[in-house]
Amino acid sequence: KAGVTQTPRYLIKTRGQQVTLSCSPISGHRSVSWYQQTPGQGLQFLFEYFSETQRNKGNFPGRFSGRQFSNSRSEMNVSTLELGDSALYLCASSLAPGQGVYGYTFGSGTRLTVV
Amino acid sequence: DAKTTQPPSMDCAEGRAANLPCNHSTISGNEYVYWYRQIHSQGPQYIIHGLKNNETNEMASLIITEDRKSSTLILPHATLRDTAVYYCIVNNFGNEKLTFGTGTRLTIIP
């Protein structure tokens, strides 16, 4: 079956712009989480969505936001981009909250470069 | 902050068993131990998890000490494709937020 699909794979944006990243979870998976990975900070949790509701949020500024649609697909948005937002953004899906204990499935990520 | 401590890097000869240690001395009774790995330019891949008993699946074995303060991930016959960063994570059942540490960079040597 298809895995977690993230689009686009690579993106270059200019400081001050905004960006939207997309994640399609595995079919049947309804919980989606987002992570940011940078060389300096490693993998950090951004937020988690289930049934179109944000259930959990990491320690990131309000410029980072997300949403989930009725088909479980999720998008995250970063406004007013800064150089430090350059990172690999990863999406992970699981069947439902509490089911992640059996293992999340991660996508290959979107590599965002801010210049 | 991550609740685990892992060596930053390890080497292992191809075909040998790779034993990756993890310390989690502050683990609480309802926290599981998870292992993920990340191959370059890919997302993390779930390997195995356990609570207090040793676990084995088609990828690896997980040995948890009796006091649960440390564990070891064992890749029984390492191949070059096992070269990756391995993350040990402790997490509550139902907590969707995974806290990754810096992991161990495992290099399999031909």
Side-chain angles (χ1 to χ4, degrees), chain A residues 9 31 33 35 37 43 45 48 55-56 90 94 96-98 100-104 106-108, chain B residues 32 34 36 38 41-46 49 87 91-101:
Chain A
R9 282 285 279 131
S31 180
S33 300
Y35 289 80
Q37 186 173 29
L43 274 151
F45 174 80
E48 179 229 343
R55 295 185 66 250
N56 212 344
L90 291 157
S94 65
V101 69
Y102 301 111
Y104 294 90
F106 282 81
S108 296
Chain B
Y32 286 72
Y34 293 83
Y36 281 76
Q38 187 173 24
S41 297
Q42 297 182 22
Q45 176 191 21
Y46 165 82
H49 76 278
Y87 295 98
N91 200 46
N92 287 319
F93 183 94
N95 181 5
E96 305 305 301
K97 173 183 174 181
L98 296 177
T99 302
F100 288 81

Side-chain angles (χ1 to χ4, degrees), chain B residues 58-71:
Chain B
E58 64 278 4
M59 289 183 68
S61 294
L62 173 61
I63 308 297
I64 303 174
T65 58
E66 193 169 341
D67 63 7
R68 303 211 321 126
K69 292 185 177 182
S70 66
S71 60

Side-chain angles (χ1 to χ4, degrees), chain B residues 35-107:
Chain B
W35 283 83
Y36 281 76
R37 72 179 182 184
Q38 187 173 24
I39 296 169
H40 183 63
S41 297
Q42 297 182 22
Q45 176 191 21
Y46 165 82
I47 301 173
I48 198 168
H49 76 278
L51 184 61
K52 54 183 178 181
N53 297 321
N54 297 337
E55 302 288 345
T56 296
N57 64 19
E58 64 278 4
M59 289 183 68
S61 294
L62 173 61
I63 308 297
I64 303 174
T65 58
E66 193 169 341
D67 63 7
R68 303 211 321 126
K69 292 185 177 182
S70 66
S71 60
T72 301
L73 178 75
I74 301 172
L75 308 178
H77 305 286
T79 71
L80 298 178
R81 287 180 292 182
D82 292 323
T83 292
V85 177
Y86 286 76
Y87 295 98
C88 170
I89 301 164
V90 295
N91 200 46
N92 287 319
F93 183 94
N95 181 5
E96 305 305 301
K97 173 183 174 181
L98 296 177
T99 302
F100 288 81
T102 53
T104 295
R105 183 173 297 278
L106 175 67
T107 302

Side-chain angles (χ1 to χ4, degrees), chain A residues 25 29-33 48-50 68 92-97, chain B residues 96:
Chain A
H29 282 198
R30 298 166 60 201
S31 180
V32 174
S33 300
E48 179 229 343
Y49 287 88
F50 174 72
Q68 186 180 35
S93 78
S94 65
L95 283 167
Chain B
E96 305 305 301

Side-chain angles (χ1 to χ4, degrees), chain A residues 32-95:
Chain A
V32 174
S33 300
W34 288 89
Y35 289 80
Q36 181 197 64
Q37 186 173 29
T38 61
Q41 299 296 320
L43 274 151
Q44 293 188 290
F45 174 80
L46 279 158
F47 25 63
E48 179 229 343
Y49 287 88
F50 174 72
S51 290
E52 303 176 62
T53 301
Q54 188 181 91
R55 295 185 66 250
N56 212 344
K57 189 177 190 306
N59 188 25
F60 278 82
R63 299 185 297 108
F64 292 81
S65 63
R67 61 177 175 169
Q68 186 180 35
F69 301 94
S70 58
N71 62 357
S72 297
R73 189 177 71 86
S74 177
E75 290 181 346
M76 67 162 284
N77 184 77
V78 188
S79 62
T80 320
L81 284 166
E82 301 176 359
L83 295 179
D85 297 332
S86 294
L88 179 66
Y89 290 88
L90 291 157
C91 167
S93 78
S94 65
L95 283 167

